[in-house]
């Protein structure tokens, strides 16, 4: 039987309680006193009639507030909890005394040795775990925690050896033994994998309701754990850079920088100095400058539209991937760099290799981990969640309440082909929100060019020649695309034609900024 006595702090109160037990001839097994104002008693079960008299008599003692039974003494509860914790740990654990004799083991030890705990207790720890002089460590003047490589059952383990210290009456700590925890190489590998495991929060910004995008995010999260180059393919505006940033944030390089270079937007000479930097004395500068490749050391270098990279830059990038070294512009010294390369392209790199405009050896160096981001028209179930997210974000910036989408607006957004993908959706909603009056956005508030899906094919009874019909379709196609590629060079690049050919066709059909709303 165990009692919990709640009492005040009074000199002699414990003696008064013990005197009552003596009067009832109760054999006391244990007593614990809690400084919080509790006395715990442990004694054999007594007759119910004696118990009925004992409890009121204890309550009548001066300073006693309450008495009740309890299933455990504090030391028993603590011991059982620690034993349960010890037994459930998957790693072998030994508790030893100051002489190195085994006092306690967990189930992982008994299962490994295939012996009951009784057969293990009392053995010398040095006979079971080799590679560390436990007795010398226990006899040392200064005993501190150790991590050592040891051998247990002919296998290597990392052992955490911890001294067990107990305070004495003067408050000094005295050695009572040690605790030994073993971790195998396999278990350490498991823990390292969990430590570096990708955080799902890194990809929270990537909208993935559709099965297609869920697959992309799933693959990206696995690739983020690795350290090889990643190539992200997809049309313009699909969110390739956002996915690249998510891969960086979910990687082991997340604490490093994420630096970007658009290979299509800069002249070759500028792109080279931006990427690799330059030596002192170059370009009339007394001091040199580190390029973004060097600045991204330990992090991620993001190369946007790598398919547009010049042959010279391709050659230098290949050297970085092969040797991890490069030279600044105008410098003969090698610079070593540890950086992960993530590239994007909307071009077919295989076709560029066949045409000779992209190095085959660089292609195979980069084409290790590939992600293909589907266009928005192929992930219809992402359109409305994306729209609602954009409206919420934009409304917060504008300091207003996010509007609801009417059914007609939802149907319209889902039926549109979105040639500009996610970026076009975001821009269209921003324009509509900026001009919106009220708290509901309808189809009439969204201004978009005619969707290619809505263009009907030619009927069998069309009038005119094939050339006439081809020209009509060509004119319609150019009018639809011109708002998204409002320069002849951009449009020519999109359609795979020369700048001159596109300029002539636009002139022939009278398509310009005045005739087409951009």
């Amino acid at each position: 039987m165990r009692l919990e006595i709640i009492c005040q702090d009074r000199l002699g109160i414990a003696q008064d309680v013990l005197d009552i037990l003596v009067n009832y001839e109760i054999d006391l097994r244990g007593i614990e006193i809690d400084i919080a104002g509790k006395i715990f008693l442990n004694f054999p079960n007594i007759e119910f009639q004696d118990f009925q008299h004992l409890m009121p008599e204890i309550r009548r003692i001066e300073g006693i507030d309450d008495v009740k039974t309890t299933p455990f003494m504090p030391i028993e509860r603590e011991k059982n909890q620690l034993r349960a914790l010890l037994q459930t740990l998957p790693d072998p654990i030994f508790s030893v005394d100051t002489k190195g004799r085994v006092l306690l083991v967990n189930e992982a030890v008994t299962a490994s040795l295939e012996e009951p705990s009784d057969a293990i207790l009392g053995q010398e720890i040095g006979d079971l775990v080799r590679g560390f002089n436990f007795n010398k460590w226990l006899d040392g003047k200064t005993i501190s925690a150790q991590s050592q490589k040891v051998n247990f059952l002919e296998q290597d383990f990392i052992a955490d050896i911890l001294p067990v210290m107990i305070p004495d009456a003067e408050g000094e700590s005295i050695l009572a033994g040690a605790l030994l925890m073993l971790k195998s190489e396999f278990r350490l590998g498991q823990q390292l994998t969990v430590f570096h495991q990708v955080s799902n929060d890194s990809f929270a910004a990537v909208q993935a309701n559709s099965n297609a995008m869920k697959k992309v995010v799933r693959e990206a999260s696995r690739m983020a754990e690795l350290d090889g180059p990643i190539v992200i393919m997809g049309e313009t505006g699909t969110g390739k850079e956002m996915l690249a940033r998510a891969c960086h944030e979910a990687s082991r390089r997340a604490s490093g920088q994420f630096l970007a270079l658009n290979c299509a937007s800069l002249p070759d000479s500028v792109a080279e100095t931006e990427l690799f930097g330059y030596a002192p004395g170059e370009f009339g500068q007394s001091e040199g400058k580190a390029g973004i490749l060097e600045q991204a050391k330990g992090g991620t270098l993001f190369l946007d539209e790598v398919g547009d990279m010049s042959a010279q830059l391709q050659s230098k990038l290949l050297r970085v991937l092969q040797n991890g070294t490069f030279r600044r512009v105008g410098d003969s010294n090698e610079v070593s760099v540890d950086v992960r390369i993530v590239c994007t392209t909307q071009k077919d790199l295989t076709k560029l290799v066949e045409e000779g405009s992209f190095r085959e050896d660089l292609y195979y160096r980069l084409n290790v981990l590939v992600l293909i981001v589907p266009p928005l028209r192929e992930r219809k179930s992402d359109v409305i969640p994306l729209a609602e997210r954009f409206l919420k974000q934009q409304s917060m910036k504008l300091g207003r309440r996010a509007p609801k989408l009417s059914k007609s607006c939802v149907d319209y957004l889902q039926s549109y082909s979105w040639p500009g993908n996610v970026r076009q959706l975001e821009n269209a909603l921003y324009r509509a929100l900026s001009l919106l009056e009220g708290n509901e956005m309808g189809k009439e508030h969204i201004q978009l060019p005619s969707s290619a899906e809505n263009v009907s094919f030619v009927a069998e009874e069309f009038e005119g020649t094939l050339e006439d019909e081809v020209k009509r379709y060509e004119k319609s196609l150019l009018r639809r695309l011109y708002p998204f590629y409002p320069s002849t060079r951009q449009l020519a690049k999109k359609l795979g034609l020369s700048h001159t050919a596109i300029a002539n066709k636009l002139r022939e059909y009278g398509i310009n900024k005045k005739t087409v709303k951009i």
Side-chain angles (χ1 to χ4, degrees):
M1 178 170 288
R2 296 162 182 82
L3 294 183
E4 178 183 346
I5 303 172
I6 303 171
C7 60
Q8 300 171 17
D9 185 9
R10 177 176 68 80
L11 185 65
I13 194 170
Q15 185 61 53
D16 292 343
V17 172
L18 295 178
D19 288 342
I20 293 176
L21 297 184
V22 171
N23 293 336
Y24 280 85
E25 298 181 351
I26 294 175
D27 182 17
L28 185 64
R29 291 176 176 173
I31 180 171
E32 292 182 55
I33 299 176
D34 191 328
I35 59 174
K38 291 182 180 180
I39 299 173
F40 293 89
L41 302 176
N42 181 6
F43 51 85
N45 291 337
I46 60 176
E47 296 292 335
F48 180 71
Q49 185 176 357
D50 292 336
F51 179 73
Q52 280 186 313
H53 294 293
L54 175 67
M55 295 290 277
E57 196 165 338
I58 294 176
R59 286 192 180 97
R60 285 194 289 269
I61 295 175
E62 180 186 353
I64 299 296
D65 297 325
D66 193 16
V67 182
K68 57 184 178 181
T69 59
T70 182
F72 299 106
M73 299 284 282
I75 190 64
E76 289 177 319
R77 180 183 288 106
E78 183 178 344
K79 183 178 179 180
N80 289 334
Q81 288 172 338
L82 288 174
R83 184 180 291 273
L85 178 63
L86 184 68
Q87 294 299 340
T88 55
L89 288 174
D91 303 308
I93 297 178
F94 298 84
S95 176
V96 300
D97 62 16
T98 54
K99 299 299 181 181
R101 292 185 294 263
V102 178
L103 297 176
L104 185 67
V105 295
N106 68 345
E107 290 180 1
V109 173
T110 58
S112 299
L113 292 172
E114 297 181 351
E115 292 183 10
S117 59
D118 292 343
I120 303 169
L121 302 185
Q123 291 191 42
E124 294 286 338
I125 186 65
D127 294 337
L128 299 170
V129 180
R130 305 179 188 278
F132 182 75
N133 193 328
F134 292 94
N135 290 330
K136 182 179 179 181
W137 177 73
L138 288 166
D139 291 337
K141 292 182 179 180
T142 303
I143 300 179
S144 58
Q146 300 280 323
S147 289
Q148 297 287 335
K149 184 178 179 180
V150 298
N151 189 276
F152 175 58
L153 292 176
E154 307 301 325
Q155 295 183 37
D156 289 334
F157 287 80
I158 295 296
D160 287 328
I161 309 166
L162 309 171
V164 177
M165 311 298 290
I166 297 177
D168 60 13
E170 286 74 33
E172 298 290 333
S173 294
I174 58 174
L175 182 67
L179 194 66
L180 176 67
M181 296 183 288
L182 305 182
K183 279 189 170 59
S184 67
E185 184 179 1
F186 174 72
R187 281 280 296 153
L188 287 170
Q190 282 185 319
Q191 291 171 336
L192 279 173
T193 300
V194 173
F195 181 77
H196 292 297
Q197 197 168 22
V198 175
S199 169
N200 292 329
D201 292 340
S202 302
F203 293 92
V206 182
Q207 190 67 46
N209 284 62
S210 64
N211 290 333
M213 276 308 292
K214 285 179 180 178
K215 180 174 181 289
V216 171
V217 170
R218 210 163 41 240
E219 292 175 351
S221 64
R222 291 172 185 163
M223 292 181 187
E225 299 177 28
L226 309 175
D227 209 36
I230 297 178
V231 176
I232 305 175
M233 299 181 177
E235 296 179 6
T236 182
T238 50
K240 298 188 292 294
E241 182 172 352
M242 179 182 290
L243 190 62
R245 285 185 181 275
C247 287
H248 166 73
E249 291 168 3
S251 73
R252 302 178 188 183
R253 298 177 177 270
S255 58
Q257 293 200 68
F258 178 92
L259 298 180
L261 177 72
N262 190 317
C263 302
S265 64
L266 296 174
D268 191 30
S269 58
V270 177
E272 185 176 12
T273 55
E274 282 292 314
L275 184 57
F276 299 106
Y278 54 84
E282 281 293 305
F283 312 113
Q285 302 294 321
S286 59
E287 296 184 0
K289 179 185 175 183
I292 60 173
L293 178 59
E294 198 171 344
Q295 295 171 35
K297 189 174 182 179
T300 301
L301 175 64
F302 174 65
L303 299 176
D304 195 16
E305 294 305 330
V306 71
D308 292 319
M309 181 176 279
S310 69
Q312 183 179 353
L313 288 183
Q314 289 180 37
S315 178
K316 296 190 74 169
L317 179 61
L318 178 63
R319 183 176 179 83
V320 174
L321 292 170
Q322 287 176 330
N323 306 324
T325 61
F326 69 95
R327 292 189 182 97
R328 292 184 179 182
V329 175
D331 199 350
S332 59
N333 297 320
E334 294 277 348
V335 178
S336 297
V337 67
D338 172 30
V339 67
R340 186 184 198 179
I341 306 292
V342 178
C343 309
T344 67
T345 180
Q346 56 178 310
K347 294 184 176 180
D348 185 345
L349 292 182
T350 307
K351 186 177 180 182
L352 295 181
V353 171
E354 292 173 355
E355 294 171 353
S357 59
F358 199 83
R359 293 183 62 121
E360 185 176 11
D361 45 5
L362 177 59
Y363 169 77
Y364 286 115
R365 283 282 180 178
L366 290 175
N367 198 47
V368 179
L369 304 171
V370 179
L371 293 169
I372 300 176
V373 185
L376 192 54
R377 62 181 173 274
E378 294 179 9
R379 37 185 289 216
K380 293 291 188 180
S381 55
D382 288 333
V383 173
I384 301 306
L386 275 169
E388 291 174 342
R389 173 185 286 187
F390 290 147
L391 286 175
K392 184 177 180 180
Q393 293 172 348
Q394 294 162 358
S395 296
M396 289 179 65
K397 292 178 182 178
L398 295 173
R400 60 169 296 169
R401 182 179 176 184
K404 294 181 180 180
L405 296 173
S406 68
K407 186 179 183 305
S408 64
C409 186
V410 169
D411 293 341
Y412 179 52
L413 294 177
Q414 286 184 319
S415 64
Y416 192 71
S417 61
W418 300 109
N421 292 296
V422 178
R423 187 182 297 122
Q424 183 189 11
L425 172 64
E426 184 176 13
N427 293 340
L429 291 170
Y430 180 73
R431 184 183 190 283
L433 183 64
S434 301
L435 303 176
L436 181 66
E437 296 180 3
N439 293 320
E440 184 174 82
M441 185 175 291
K443 174 183 176 181
E444 66 277 7
H445 298 115
I446 310 291
Q447 296 187 15
L448 292 167
S450 299
S451 172
E453 290 184 0
N454 296 330
V455 178
S456 60
F457 291 99
V458 62
E460 290 183 15
E461 299 84 8
F462 72 89
E463 295 181 1
T465 64
L466 174 61
E467 183 180 358
D468 293 336
E469 194 60 41
V470 169
K471 285 187 174 182
R472 274 195 291 271
Y473 179 78
E474 191 175 64
K475 180 180 180 180
S476 173
L477 178 64
L478 290 173
R479 286 185 65 86
R480 289 200 310 275
L481 291 178
Y482 190 72
F484 305 105
Y485 306 92
S487 76
T488 52
R489 293 189 183 277
Q490 291 177 4
L491 191 54
K493 185 178 177 181
K494 172 66 178 175
L495 295 175
L497 297 174
S498 69
H499 165 251
T500 304
I502 288 295
N504 290 336
K505 288 182 181 295
L506 292 175
R507 191 179 302 109
E508 178 185 354
Y509 298 132
I511 299 173
N512 52 53
K513 292 181 180 179
K514 293 182 179 179
T515 60
V516 177
K517 189 173 182 180
I518 298 177

